[in-house]
Amino acid sequence: MDKTSQDNSSAVGVEISEGQCRMTLDNPPVNVIGHQVRQGLDAAVRAAEDARADKVIVTGAGKAFAAGADAKEFDQPARPPHLPGVLARLEQLPAIAALNGMALGGGLEIALACRIRIAAPGCRLGLPEVTLGVVPGAGGTQRLPRLIGIEAAAKLISEGARITAEEALDLGLIDAIADDPVEAAKSVSLDTLQARQPALDRPAPAPNPNAIKAARDKAHKRARGQIAPQAALDLIEATAHTPPAQGLENERAQFLDLRQGPQAKALRHVFFAERAAAARSNGFEAAPKSLSSAVVVGGGTMGAGIAYALDSIGVTTTLVEVDTAAAERARTNIDKLFDEGVKRGKSTPEEAKAGKSRIAVRTGYKALPPVDIAIEAVFEEIQVKRAVFAALDAALPCETILATNTSYLDVNRIFEGIRAPERCLGLHFFSPAHVMKLVEIIRTNNTSQTTLASAFALAARLRKVPVEAGVCDGFIGNRILTAYRQVCDIMLLDGAMPWQVDSAMVAFGMAMGPYAVQDLSGLDIAYANRQRKTLRDTQDARHVPIADRMVEDLGRLGRKTGAGWYDYTDDGARPSTQVAELVETASKEAGCQRRAFTDDEIVARATTAMICESLHILHEGIARRPADIDLVLVHGYGFPRWRGGIMHHADRIGFEEVRDRVRRYAQDDPLSWRLPPDLEQRVAQGQALADLNQEKTE
Ligand code: NAI
């Protein structure tokens, strides 16, 4: 037995004994395939070739086989040895992949170059490359269809899905499941192994245009605007009639091309921002407190969802409502979430029943259990919220963390007069709270490091994307949303129609247009908010009365009333003539000369308004770094992930262009368009927002 003594030996261990060679991928924690691993694998393959091994077993050290390529290397030129070349040689060896744990991306491609695959029961397998904007780059699109057929390969690769060992066995992707895959590989007879062909020597798969079309349609819906899933499907489709060597060459060229492209860069940016957010709870000066019990106040849309989410991670949860009737409604809201969980296959009816009885619903604050955290989700009115916290302060120990789910209100004011204010903060969940990934964590003037760390740790347990924000009207997300809506409303006054704005923004990649979103959430909510802020009276913004009139004069509150910006029938949404008339009347009354807007101009104005507001937010220190703003927009507001968020998008456009646009727009409308602070300076210094991300990465 010997382990190679070269420098790169640590990344792949090699043991050769009695004609058998064992290669162990060893790059903790999850054996990501970076340059060292490729070098190690290359050396291991050479050692097995030299020893003329009659059996090669490839496995991974620790809990994973290999979690995929090292995406950090994707920004640099590819360095040899390249995985496709190494795998072409591995494929000529009598190799068995012993999949001890996850085999993803390049990890699964290594396994596909082996002749037999045996997986441990908990193993997850997949080729998730498209989620990073690339296609598999080491034979995945060529070997997989030859093993499991075009239909299954198209689905797996274009969705970037991860499947279980059992599913992989059913598909024929692996040959067996064994508790100890290395031992199972050892016991495979040499005859069986020799009888196995390399995947690329198998016959070409049968063409399946229907399956390819179905996968293309699905990818258009699931990953609208993204090129990688379609490029992967092109490659898979071609396996039916393209020689393997040509197919591999095409795949590699496509991989390298996409890797440098804007979509892959944007998707990598979001991926790394998410990882930084998930790791953030460890980056504070103080350790997080472990939170195992909670009180949620208010059992409406948000409170019920928050209680359900907390229960699902094992937090003992009590919900407090204002009176018996409200408590009954809250009970119904919670029960509905558990029932939906059963319908979606998340839990069994028995588990749902147990869950429903775990969450206690009560009225008033008498004899509340001394919980670790209390989260308030009552009406959006400061006096109501202040009264709730006064009651919680009296009823709970002064170590209990107190959190408000307010969307806009001043969190410092909400907690005025509360004992131990360092334990107070905002936890802004999004609707539906048990589904949406984003949580804005709002620090007040007093919030302690322990409280912040605890909130981040809780968010990570909930599998959310936590982003820290300072106190201001609307924090990060809703503040940008307000600016976005305002610029769209101004375009209505100046000549656009709501459906045109919606379709331009959807074509840009937004999940929904701004007006369709309002119809979904209800125009009365935004109306109440405008009343609170008395935006009508502000001197520094153009007043657009259209949305107010829809509520006050026409009672068009959105989908729930069958009429909002659109008319709703059983056939779906239609542009409304009543709204079109209202828009034109409002233009006339405001003395605006209506003009045509192109879709490009709509997108440019809307995104520039978002960028400007984001620059204010950064300047004021409300957001810690540009990547946090990107996470907020991608996870809370349907901004296209493949554009990387609004700040990444701003870097693509460049500050000079942003400045020029603002200057140009300001010529006609100086009230709406002003240069954000620092913009001139950023242009002069040639600074990119990405530089600011680097500075603050923990
Ligand atoms: P909701 O109207 O559905 O529910 C509010 C609940 O609070 C009701 O069940 C009501 O009975 C209860 N409540 C009112 N006063 C109370 C009191 N003094 N003690 C105990 N319970 C009381 O409202 P929703 O939509 O759940 O919003 C709650 C909070 O969450 C608001 O601050 C809102 O701004 C915020 N929010 C709402 C989002 C949404 O999309 N609905 C998204 C993010 C935050």
Side-chain angles (χ1 to χ4, degrees):
M1 299 263 185
D2 77 325
K3 219 174 170 186
T4 67
S5 58
Q6 296 161 22
D7 283 354
N8 48 40
S9 62
S10 60
V12 180
V14 186
E15 296 164 38
I16 298 177
S17 165
E18 293 167 6
Q20 299 212 356
C21 171
R22 180 151 146 195
M23 306 175 182
T24 308
L25 308 172
D26 189 1
N27 184 24
V30 286
N31 305 329
V32 156
I33 306 164
H35 184 240
Q36 282 218 332
V37 172
R38 293 199 306 277
Q39 279 185 324
L41 195 60
D42 185 46
V45 167
R46 185 153 305 127
E49 287 166 348
D50 292 348
R52 298 181 185 282
D54 49 22
K55 185 188 276 187
V56 174
I57 298 174
V58 189
T59 192
K63 62 182 179 187
F65 177 73
D70 185 353
K72 283 204 197 86
E73 291 183 359
F74 283 9
D75 283 324
Q76 295 136 28
R79 280 167 74 194
H82 304 299
L83 198 55
V86 179
L87 296 190
R89 289 188 10 244
L90 176 64
E91 189 161 47
Q92 299 313 312
L93 296 172
I96 303 173
L99 306 174
N100 52 308
M102 69 177 113
L104 301 174
L108 184 56
E109 289 179 302
I110 294 175
L112 291 172
C114 296
R115 305 206 181 164
I116 293 178
R117 284 155 292 280
I118 303 171
C123 179
R124 287 277 185 288
L125 305 95
L127 291 171
E129 283 83 351
V130 295
T131 60
L132 285 178
V134 292
V135 296
T141 65
Q142 303 302 300
R143 292 190 177 96
L144 193 61
R146 286 180 163 82
L147 280 173
I148 66 171
I150 282 192
E151 181 170 6
K155 191 168 154 47
L156 202 61
I157 294 176
S158 67
E159 292 177 17
R162 295 167 187 217
I163 57 172
T164 61
E166 289 73 20
E167 288 166 320
L169 187 63
D170 284 347
L171 287 175
L173 171 51
I174 59 171
D175 300 277
I177 298 177
D179 286 336
D180 186 339
V182 172
E183 281 307 314
K186 280 187 192 163
S187 64
V188 171
S189 77
L190 294 184
D191 288 347
T192 308
L193 185 53
Q194 271 154 17
R196 280 302 186 97
Q197 279 178 308
L200 286 181
D201 290 352
R202 292 188 177 211
N208 192 339
N210 290 340
I212 293 287
K213 178 164 185 325
R216 282 195 197 285
D217 291 348
K218 197 161 177 196
H220 274 306
K221 283 206 194 97
R222 280 171 48 107
R224 193 165 45 83
Q226 296 193 32
I227 47 183
Q230 303 297 338
L233 288 167
D234 291 343
L235 293 162
I236 295 164
E237 185 171 29
T239 54
H241 51 77
T242 311
Q246 182 64 51
L248 286 175
E249 208 175 292
N250 296 346
E251 179 195 75
R252 187 69 182 169
Q254 184 65 268
F255 168 76
L256 290 174
D257 192 37
L258 288 174
R259 199 179 88 136
Q260 299 315 322
Q263 291 201 355
K265 281 190 180 147
L267 290 165
R268 284 203 289 282
H269 164 71
V270 178
F271 172 74
F272 286 120
E274 285 166 352
R275 293 223 322 202
R280 182 83 207 289
S281 64
N282 302 321
F284 289 92
E285 286 154 23
K289 283 194 201 173
S290 86
L291 307 179
S292 60
S293 55
V295 159
V296 175
V297 187
T301 312
M302 294 307 289
I306 294 168
Y308 175 79
L310 289 171
D311 175 78
S312 73
I313 56 160
V315 174
T316 310
T317 303
T318 305
L319 195 137
V320 176
E321 260 295 352
V322 68
D323 55 31
T324 319
E328 271 169 28
R329 282 196 302 276
R331 180 85 267 163
T332 310
N333 291 342
I334 291 171
D335 288 357
K336 214 167 117 194
L337 294 173
F338 278 104
D339 293 339
E340 280 167 11
V342 175
K343 273 194 212 126
R344 281 183 292 133
K346 293 253 172 211
S347 58
T348 63
E350 293 72 36
E351 285 164 347
K353 195 170 163 211
K356 289 175 188 175
S357 64
R358 270 194 308 269
I359 302 179
V361 179
R362 46 192 290 180
T363 54
Y365 300 85
K366 256 197 216 121
L368 275 187
V371 291
D372 299 323
I373 183 167
I375 303 175
E376 163 279 314
V378 303
F379 302 138
E380 185 76 346
E381 278 172 38
I382 194 143
Q383 294 313 337
V384 180
K385 289 189 189 286
R386 283 172 61 95
V388 164
F389 282 111
L392 287 171
D393 191 19
L396 294 170
C398 70
E399 291 78 38
T400 300
I401 291 177
L402 299 180
T404 171
N405 185 47
T406 180
S407 310
Y408 288 92
L409 300 175
D410 180 339
V411 184
N412 282 313
R413 276 199 59 215
I414 290 178
F415 290 117
E416 257 167 22
I418 299 295
R419 289 177 303 162
E422 66 277 4
R423 63 185 168 135
C424 300
L425 82 171
L427 276 183
H428 184 211
F429 290 85
F430 288 69
S431 179
H434 61 297
V435 177
M436 292 290 281
K437 289 269 177 221
L438 180 65
V439 186
E440 285 180 320
I441 295 184
I442 321 297
R443 58 170 193 277
T444 70
N445 294 339
N446 300 302
T447 311
S448 70
Q449 292 280 302
T450 309
T451 305
L452 281 177
S454 307
F456 270 92
L458 178 67
R461 276 170 68 199
L462 287 165
R463 301 181 140 264
K464 303 271 183 211
V465 176
V467 171
E468 185 179 328
V471 175
C472 68
D473 203 305
F475 317 121
I476 298 174
N478 281 341
R479 185 167 155 183
I480 296 171
L481 179 69
T482 303
Y484 170 42
R485 285 187 173 166
Q486 170 73 3
V487 78
C488 291
D489 285 355
I490 286 169
M491 287 192 274
L492 299 192
L493 273 192
D494 289 343
M497 281 292 165
W499 28 96
Q500 192 198 353
V501 173
D502 277 358
S503 95
M505 294 316 293
V506 168
F508 170 75
M510 299 296 289
M512 290 172 81
Y515 296 102
V517 171
Q518 287 177 51
D519 276 357
L520 194 63
S521 53
L523 270 69
D524 45 337
I525 299 205
Y527 176 80
N529 194 38
R530 286 194 299 276
Q531 298 295 101
R532 179 177 61 72
K533 290 198 286 189
T534 56
L535 263 185
R536 299 159 178 257
D537 309 330
T538 74
Q539 297 300 310
D540 61 351
R542 270 173 79 186
H543 174 54
V544 187
I546 304 169
D548 288 347
R549 289 206 190 148
M550 294 202 9
V551 174
E552 289 168 3
D553 302 347
L554 305 176
R556 301 182 68 102
L557 303 186
R559 283 189 189 210
K560 60 186 169 191
T561 56
W565 294 98
Y566 296 84
D567 290 333
Y568 292 90
T569 63
D570 290 345
D571 299 337
R574 288 243 178 80
S576 151
T577 44
Q578 195 178 33
V579 171
E581 280 164 22
L582 179 62
V583 168
E584 280 171 6
T585 309
S587 291
K588 208 177 284 167
E589 286 173 8
C592 299
Q593 190 71 35
R594 290 183 69 76
R595 67 174 177 93
F597 279 82
T598 64
D599 286 2
D600 283 350
E601 187 180 359
I602 289 171
V603 169
R605 283 177 179 258
T607 49
T608 304
M610 290 191 232
I611 293 168
C612 290
E613 196 62 40
S614 301
L615 292 177
H616 280 285
I617 284 171
L618 276 178
H619 180 76
E620 292 167 25
I622 298 296
R624 287 178 67 249
R625 45 183 216 149
D628 280 353
I629 297 179
D630 290 335
L631 287 179
V632 167
L633 286 200
V634 168
H635 285 291
Y637 297 84
F639 194 93
R641 186 180 175 92
W642 53 271
R643 291 197 190 270
I646 193 69
M647 296 282 80
H648 186 84
H649 185 64
D651 269 349
R652 289 250 321 134
I653 301 172
F655 280 130
E656 209 166 338
E657 168 67 13
V658 173
R659 179 200 59 192
D660 292 349
R661 282 183 191 175
V662 176
R663 280 186 182 158
R664 208 164 54 239
Y665 303 153
Q667 282 169 3
D668 295 336
D669 186 357
L671 197 53
S672 304
W673 296 99
R674 268 161 285 182
L675 282 179
D678 303 346
L679 184 55
E680 288 287 14
Q681 202 185 340
R682 288 183 205 275
V683 174
Q685 291 170 350
Q687 196 190 34
L689 288 160
D691 303 338
L692 304 180
N693 290 330
Q694 298 302 328
E695 280 164 32
K696 295 219 176 147
T697 303
E698 274 88 7

